[in-house]
Amino acid sequence: MRLTSSAAGLFPIAPTPFTADGAIDHGSVETLIAAYLAAGATGVTVLGIMGEAPKLEPDEALDLTSRFIDGMPGLPVIVGVSAPGFAAMRSLARAVMDRGAAGVMIAPPPSLRTDDQIVGYYAQAVEAVGADVPFVIQDYPLTLTVQMTPMVIRRIVEDNPSCVMLKHEDWPGLEKISTLRGFQAEGSMRPISILTGNGGLFLDFEMERGADGAMTGYAFPEMLADVVRLQGEGRRDAAHDLFDAHLPLLRYEQQQGVGLAVRKYVMMRRGFIASDAQRKPGAALSAKAKAEVDYLLARLAAKDPRAAV
């Protein structure tokens, strides 16, 4: 299944499960896939920032991708292939596409500063991976430090027919979504899928601005799927009520440096993965932080009984 501009719904960003000694936990990959399917995922993204991709060996990255492809038949699997050089990017991109991936996600390197540099980089990336490979622009200036204006995104989309999706993680970014949809409405940019990240922190209003769904790793993916569905059904208040119940935990997860540790800890508590271990180097939660997360989980369960752990 190839990724297209009609992609919508929930594409969780998958963590890479590790055992305490740093090995990939293949059993937890299976339980994680089962949890995503039960949550209503319409696809999945692997080897993203949350997936600790730079800590994996090339054969590990391909094996992990293959397990998700095999475990989610009929659903698109997007693979992050960002790399310091185009040779490594091309090698991974061609390997995962041959294995059955739906498309790849490409982040700009932090060295890019001007609009022309950004546009030129994506042209070179497309040349490297192949114009036949559908790709996703990863727009995450808070971490990547690269500022992409709506006009730059439009140039990339119009210059490269293989660009089918934007992973939108600008902050603040609601106006960017509106501007891009405005370009589409006036006919100056062809339609693309827009899935949003930022841990889901702004999903309630991002859907109202024209997003097609979520691509993030919040530890309650069923909430993300339900907010997307409820907004699509025009049930605005119900969507916001559900979102508001999860907002304290969403906010806690958003802490720089420990966000992945929080997320993996909650996923472990929920039985998605067996261990909250990260491959070194990685942050760990203190006993006090775990107690705070446990408190938030208890409060969440009181508002959303399905969230009980």
Side-chain angles (χ1 to χ4, degrees), residues 19-94:
T19 60
D21 63 0
I24 294 179
D25 181 354
H26 296 133
S28 286
V29 172
E30 295 181 5
T31 56
L32 185 60
I33 289 171
Y36 286 152
L37 293 174
T42 52
V44 70
T45 302
V46 299
L47 304 186
I49 293 173
M50 181 179 168
E52 302 177 69
K55 303 176 186 178
L56 302 183
E57 297 290 340
D59 59 336
E60 291 179 320
L62 183 57
D63 178 69
L64 183 69
T65 299
S66 297
R67 290 175 185 274
F68 274 93
I69 292 170
D70 292 342
M72 305 182 77
L75 295 182
V77 176
I78 300 172
V79 183
V81 297
S82 304
F86 289 126
M89 181 186 295
R90 174 181 173 79
S91 177
L92 180 56
R94 300 309 301 188

Side-chain angles (χ1 to χ4, degrees), residues 64 85 117 131 137 194 200 224:
L64 183 69
Q117 287 174 341
I137 302 170
I194 299 178
L224 303 173

Side-chain angles (χ1 to χ4, degrees), residues 95-147:
V96 298
M97 293 304 295
D98 287 345
R99 186 59 187 79
V104 301
M105 183 166 67
I106 302 172
S111 59
L112 303 180
R113 286 294 175 264
T114 70
D115 292 353
D116 287 344
Q117 287 174 341
I118 298 168
V119 173
Y121 177 82
Y122 275 97
Q124 293 177 63
V126 169
E127 182 180 5
V129 305
D132 60 320
V133 176
F135 79 92
V136 181
I137 302 170
Q138 186 172 11
D139 181 20
Y140 193 10
L142 272 72
T143 292
L144 302 173
T145 74
V146 177
Q147 299 290 335

Side-chain angles (χ1 to χ4, degrees), residues 265-284:
Y265 175 70
V266 176
M267 287 183 163
M268 180 184 69
R269 287 283 316 273
R270 302 195 70 200
F272 287 17
I273 54 179
S275 169
D276 61 351
Q278 298 178 52
R279 184 170 281 183
K280 296 178 181 179

